[in-house]
Amino acid sequence: MCSPEHFTVEYAINPWMDVTTPVDAGLAVKQWDRLRETLVALGHEVHLLTPEAGLPDMVYAANGAFVVDGTVYGARFKHEQRAAEAAAHRAFYEEHGWRFIAPSETNEGEGDFAYLPEAHGGLILAGYGFRTEPAAHAEAQEALGRPVVSLHLVDPRFYHLDVALASIDDENVVYYPGAFSAASQKVLAQLFPDAIVADDEDALAFGLNLVSDGLNVVLNNEATRLAGKLKAAGYHPVPVELAELKKGGGSVKCCIAELRH
């Protein structure tokens, strides 16, 4: 995770960003701190990436890389405003002894990649359409040695996979069908017949931008109906408020890069 001490909305690179809407930086840090404390209280270890002035979106740490079985496939950002973040993430992983593979293709890390280690023998889901190029899917497959299923995002409000779909345990997902092309919806229905399906309201509340340890599902507090569906399916929803960070187009998952040893 990376503190939002430099967070602001000074440019617009997704439909959620409005440069005329003020950001309360102090409140953003408080809400982020609460998210970090929630993860620690659930028994998880949180490593911190040092924020850098001039990179207001560094708080969205999920976008910096994608990690599977100790191998890191690095990010290469689409927009120049975020390009320098990639080097900061690479330095973190290399300093901690991870095997890092530099990308040749444009991709935004866990923003557009999700991993399910027990689904169909170990499966990577990968989004494209707005930020990550399809060629990066093949590159990630070679780098990580796991089959990659490409999913076409068609609604610009769901510009990353992680605002439209999330893994909720090692073999199942929750997703919003309307974010995907008709063909990709069919693929998801075939791969995950028992998936939890979110509605428009919860998707637009960033409810799908969540993290789960297989039991506890940390999600935006506005996604109340999705929380109810998760609870009914046997999970433990843990709502958190991230209203300030939503102004940049992200919520819980965007703030968390998962380290898979």
Side-chain angles (χ1 to χ4, degrees):
M1 297 180 69
C2 182
S3 171
E5 60 186 75
H6 300 300
F7 176 67
T8 184
V9 178
E10 58 187 30
Y11 48 77
I13 58 174
N14 68 58
W16 304 97
M17 301 176 86
D18 181 354
V19 296
T20 66
T21 300
V23 171
D24 186 331
L27 181 57
V29 171
K30 288 180 181 178
Q31 291 177 346
W32 177 89
D33 272 333
R34 181 58 184 149
L35 172 60
R36 180 182 55 80
E37 291 164 1
T38 297
L39 295 173
V40 172
L42 291 172
H44 301 291
E45 182 180 2
V46 177
H47 298 262
L48 298 179
L49 184 65
T50 303
E52 297 181 15
L55 295 175
D57 284 343
M58 270 189 77
V59 62
Y60 303 122
N63 302 152
F66 176 54
V67 184
V68 173
D69 292 341
T71 297
V72 183
Y73 176 56
R76 184 172 181 173
F77 288 87
K78 177 179 176 67
H79 296 287
E80 62 179 352
Q81 293 95 329
R82 299 195 65 184
E85 294 178 39
H89 284 271
R90 179 172 186 167
F92 170 86
Y93 287 107
E94 291 183 338
E95 287 168 10
H96 287 78
W98 294 75
R99 177 174 176 248
F100 187 91
I101 296 177
S104 298
E105 306 294 342
T106 299
N107 82 90
E108 300 201 346
E110 282 196 305
D112 275 321
F113 289 104
Y115 183 52
L116 293 103
E118 294 182 14
H120 308 278
L123 195 64
I124 294 170
L125 303 180
Y128 72 96
F130 298 102
R131 297 291 187 85
T132 294
E133 294 298 323
H137 297 182
E139 188 174 61
Q141 181 168 275
E142 288 300 307
L144 301 170
R146 295 288 184 274
V148 175
V149 174
S150 295
L151 300 169
H152 188 190
L153 297 163
V154 295
D155 185 330
R157 296 173 299 178
F158 304 98
Y159 60 96
H160 271 156
L161 183 70
D162 71 0
V163 291
L165 176 149
S167 61
I168 46 176
D169 55 35
D170 286 346
E171 55 187 347
N172 204 10
V173 299
V174 56
Y175 69 99
Y176 171 59
F180 299 94
S181 69
S184 290
Q185 289 181 41
K186 290 180 180 178
V187 169
L188 286 167
Q190 291 176 53
L191 288 174
F192 304 103
D194 299 320
I196 295 175
V197 177
D199 61 23
D200 299 46
E201 183 177 323
D202 286 327
L204 293 172
F206 282 85
L208 292 158
N209 195 239
L210 60 81
V211 293
S212 174
D213 59 16
L215 173 61
N216 303 293
V217 182
V218 184
L219 76 167
N220 195 288
N221 67 326
E222 296 176 32
T224 53
R225 283 194 287 192
L226 181 57
K229 289 181 179 180
L230 289 162
K231 187 172 183 179
Y235 299 91
H236 176 228
V238 183
V240 294
E241 182 180 356
L242 286 177
E244 289 306 299
L245 293 175
K246 276 180 61 185
K247 294 175 180 178
S251 188
V252 175
K253 175 58 198 170
C254 286
C255 293
I256 299 165
E258 296 179 54
L259 305 178
R260 302 177 185 88
H261 291 282

Short mmCIF file of all heavy atoms in Angstrom, two decimals, residues 9 15-16 51 64-65 82 89 93 95 108 131 133 152 205 209 214-215 222-223 232 241:
data_model
loop_
_atom_site.label_atom_id
_atom_site.label_comp_id
_atom_site.label_asym_id
_atom_site.label_seq_id
_atom_site.Cartn_x
_atom_site.Cartn_y
_atom_site.Cartn_z
N VAL A 9 -6.74 15.40 -7.32
CA VAL A 9 -7.23 15.15 -8.67
C VAL A 9 -6.87 16.38 -9.50
O VAL A 9 -7.60 17.38 -9.50
CB VAL A 9 -8.74 14.87 -8.70
CG1 VAL A 9 -9.21 14.66 -10.14
CG2 VAL A 9 -9.07 13.64 -7.87
N PRO A 15 -13.40 8.43 -16.23
CA PRO A 15 -14.64 9.18 -16.12
C PRO A 15 -14.99 9.63 -14.70
O PRO A 15 -15.88 10.48 -14.54
CB PRO A 15 -15.70 8.19 -16.64
CG PRO A 15 -14.95 7.26 -17.52
CD PRO A 15 -13.62 7.10 -16.86
N TRP A 16 -14.34 9.08 -13.70
CA TRP A 16 -14.65 9.43 -12.32
C TRP A 16 -13.91 10.68 -11.85
O TRP A 16 -14.28 11.27 -10.84
CB TRP A 16 -14.31 8.26 -11.40
CG TRP A 16 -15.01 7.00 -11.78
CD1 TRP A 16 -14.50 5.97 -12.54
CD2 TRP A 16 -16.35 6.61 -11.47
NE1 TRP A 16 -15.44 4.98 -12.71
CE2 TRP A 16 -16.58 5.35 -12.05
CE3 TRP A 16 -17.37 7.22 -10.73
CZ2 TRP A 16 -17.79 4.68 -11.94
CZ3 TRP A 16 -18.59 6.56 -10.61
CH2 TRP A 16 -18.79 5.30 -11.21
N PRO A 51 5.34 7.22 -0.80
CA PRO A 51 4.73 8.08 -1.82
C PRO A 51 5.71 9.13 -2.31
O PRO A 51 6.60 9.56 -1.58
CB PRO A 51 3.55 8.71 -1.07
CG PRO A 51 3.93 8.67 0.37
CD PRO A 51 4.77 7.44 0.54
N GLY A 64 0.66 -1.08 -10.01
CA GLY A 64 2.10 -1.06 -10.25
C GLY A 64 2.73 -2.36 -10.69
O GLY A 64 3.87 -2.36 -11.18
N ALA A 65 2.02 -3.48 -10.54
CA ALA A 65 2.58 -4.79 -10.91
C ALA A 65 1.52 -5.86 -10.69
O ALA A 65 0.44 -5.60 -10.16
CB ALA A 65 3.82 -5.11 -10.08
N ARG A 82 1.14 8.90 -15.05
CA ARG A 82 1.41 7.84 -14.08
C ARG A 82 2.66 7.02 -14.41
O ARG A 82 3.04 6.14 -13.64
CB ARG A 82 0.20 6.89 -13.98
CG ARG A 82 -1.08 7.57 -13.52
CD ARG A 82 -2.12 6.55 -13.10
NE ARG A 82 -1.69 5.81 -11.91
CZ ARG A 82 -2.37 4.81 -11.37
NH1 ARG A 82 -3.51 4.40 -11.93
NH2 ARG A 82 -1.92 4.18 -10.30
N HIS A 89 7.59 1.04 -8.11
CA HIS A 89 7.15 -0.33 -7.80
C HIS A 89 8.27 -1.33 -8.08
O HIS A 89 8.52 -2.23 -7.28
CB HIS A 89 5.90 -0.67 -8.61
CG HIS A 89 4.67 -0.04 -8.07
ND1 HIS A 89 3.88 -0.63 -7.12
CD2 HIS A 89 4.08 1.16 -8.34
CE1 HIS A 89 2.86 0.15 -6.83
NE2 HIS A 89 2.96 1.26 -7.56
N TYR A 93 10.00 -4.09 -5.35
CA TYR A 93 10.08 -5.54 -5.51
C TYR A 93 11.52 -6.03 -5.57
O TYR A 93 11.87 -7.06 -4.97
CB TYR A 93 9.30 -5.98 -6.76
CG TYR A 93 7.81 -5.89 -6.58
CD1 TYR A 93 7.06 -4.89 -7.21
CD2 TYR A 93 7.13 -6.78 -5.76
CE1 TYR A 93 5.69 -4.80 -7.03
CE2 TYR A 93 5.76 -6.70 -5.58
CZ TYR A 93 5.04 -5.71 -6.21
OH TYR A 93 3.69 -5.62 -6.02
N GLU A 95 14.17 -4.60 -4.26
CA GLU A 95 14.77 -4.45 -2.93
C GLU A 95 14.36 -5.58 -1.99
O GLU A 95 15.10 -5.94 -1.08
CB GLU A 95 14.37 -3.10 -2.33
CG GLU A 95 15.08 -1.90 -2.96
CD GLU A 95 14.46 -0.58 -2.54
OE1 GLU A 95 13.61 -0.59 -1.62
OE2 GLU A 95 14.82 0.45 -3.14
N GLU A 108 -1.49 -2.32 -16.70
CA GLU A 108 -1.57 -1.60 -15.43
C GLU A 108 -1.77 -2.56 -14.26
O GLU A 108 -2.66 -2.39 -13.42
CB GLU A 108 -2.63 -0.51 -15.52
CG GLU A 108 -2.27 0.49 -16.63
CD GLU A 108 -2.92 1.85 -16.54
OE1 GLU A 108 -3.87 2.01 -15.76
OE2 GLU A 108 -2.46 2.76 -17.26
N ARG A 131 -7.09 0.42 -20.77
CA ARG A 131 -5.75 0.70 -20.28
C ARG A 131 -4.71 -0.33 -20.73
O ARG A 131 -3.66 0.02 -21.24
CB ARG A 131 -5.76 0.78 -18.74
CG ARG A 131 -6.61 1.90 -18.17
CD ARG A 131 -6.02 3.27 -18.44
NE ARG A 131 -6.74 4.34 -17.77
CZ ARG A 131 -6.52 4.73 -16.52
NH1 ARG A 131 -5.59 4.15 -15.80
NH2 ARG A 131 -7.24 5.70 -15.99
N GLU A 133 -3.14 -3.33 -22.97
CA GLU A 133 -3.20 -3.83 -24.35
C GLU A 133 -3.33 -5.35 -24.36
O GLU A 133 -2.72 -6.04 -23.53
CB GLU A 133 -1.96 -3.41 -25.12
CG GLU A 133 -1.84 -1.91 -25.32
CD GLU A 133 -2.99 -1.35 -26.16
OE1 GLU A 133 -3.43 -2.05 -27.11
OE2 GLU A 133 -3.45 -0.24 -25.85
N HIS A 152 -13.02 -8.53 -22.47
CA HIS A 152 -13.15 -7.23 -23.13
C HIS A 152 -14.04 -6.30 -22.32
O HIS A 152 -15.24 -6.55 -22.16
CB HIS A 152 -13.72 -7.43 -24.54
CG HIS A 152 -13.70 -6.18 -25.36
ND1 HIS A 152 -14.35 -6.08 -26.56
CD2 HIS A 152 -13.09 -4.97 -25.16
CE1 HIS A 152 -14.15 -4.87 -27.07
NE2 HIS A 152 -13.40 -4.18 -26.23
N ALA A 205 -21.00 1.95 -7.22
CA ALA A 205 -20.52 2.35 -5.90
C ALA A 205 -19.12 1.78 -5.62
O ALA A 205 -18.65 1.83 -4.49
CB ALA A 205 -21.49 1.87 -4.82
N ASN A 209 -14.58 -3.31 -6.45
CA ASN A 209 -13.17 -2.98 -6.22
C ASN A 209 -12.83 -3.37 -4.78
O ASN A 209 -12.63 -2.53 -3.91
CB ASN A 209 -12.94 -1.48 -6.47
CG ASN A 209 -11.48 -1.12 -6.61
OD1 ASN A 209 -10.95 -0.32 -5.87
ND2 ASN A 209 -10.80 -1.74 -7.57
N GLY A 214 -10.69 -14.97 1.17
CA GLY A 214 -11.41 -16.23 1.08
C GLY A 214 -12.55 -16.32 2.08
O GLY A 214 -13.46 -17.14 1.93
N LEU A 215 -12.50 -15.46 3.10
CA LEU A 215 -13.58 -15.37 4.09
C LEU A 215 -14.00 -13.92 4.28
O LEU A 215 -15.14 -13.56 4.05
CB LEU A 215 -13.14 -15.96 5.43
CG LEU A 215 -14.13 -15.76 6.59
CD1 LEU A 215 -15.47 -16.43 6.27
CD2 LEU A 215 -13.55 -16.27 7.90
N GLU A 222 -20.55 1.66 0.56
CA GLU A 222 -21.77 2.03 -0.16
C GLU A 222 -22.41 0.83 -0.87
O GLU A 222 -23.58 0.91 -1.27
CB GLU A 222 -21.46 3.12 -1.18
CG GLU A 222 -21.00 4.43 -0.55
CD GLU A 222 -20.63 5.45 -1.61
OE1 GLU A 222 -21.24 5.44 -2.70
OE2 GLU A 222 -19.70 6.25 -1.37
N ALA A 223 -21.67 -0.25 -1.04
CA ALA A 223 -22.17 -1.42 -1.79
C ALA A 223 -22.93 -2.35 -0.85
O ALA A 223 -22.53 -3.48 -0.60
CB ALA A 223 -21.01 -2.14 -2.46
N ALA A 232 -24.78 -13.81 2.40
CA ALA A 232 -25.67 -14.94 2.14
C ALA A 232 -24.91 -16.13 1.55
O ALA A 232 -25.31 -17.29 1.73
CB ALA A 232 -26.79 -14.52 1.19
N GLU A 241 -15.06 2.99 4.44
CA GLU A 241 -15.39 4.21 3.71
C GLU A 241 -14.15 4.77 3.03
O GLU A 241 -13.13 5.01 3.68
CB GLU A 241 -15.97 5.27 4.65
CG GLU A 241 -16.39 6.54 3.93
CD GLU A 241 -16.96 7.60 4.85
OE1 GLU A 241 -17.10 7.33 6.06
OE2 GLU A 241 -17.25 8.70 4.36
#
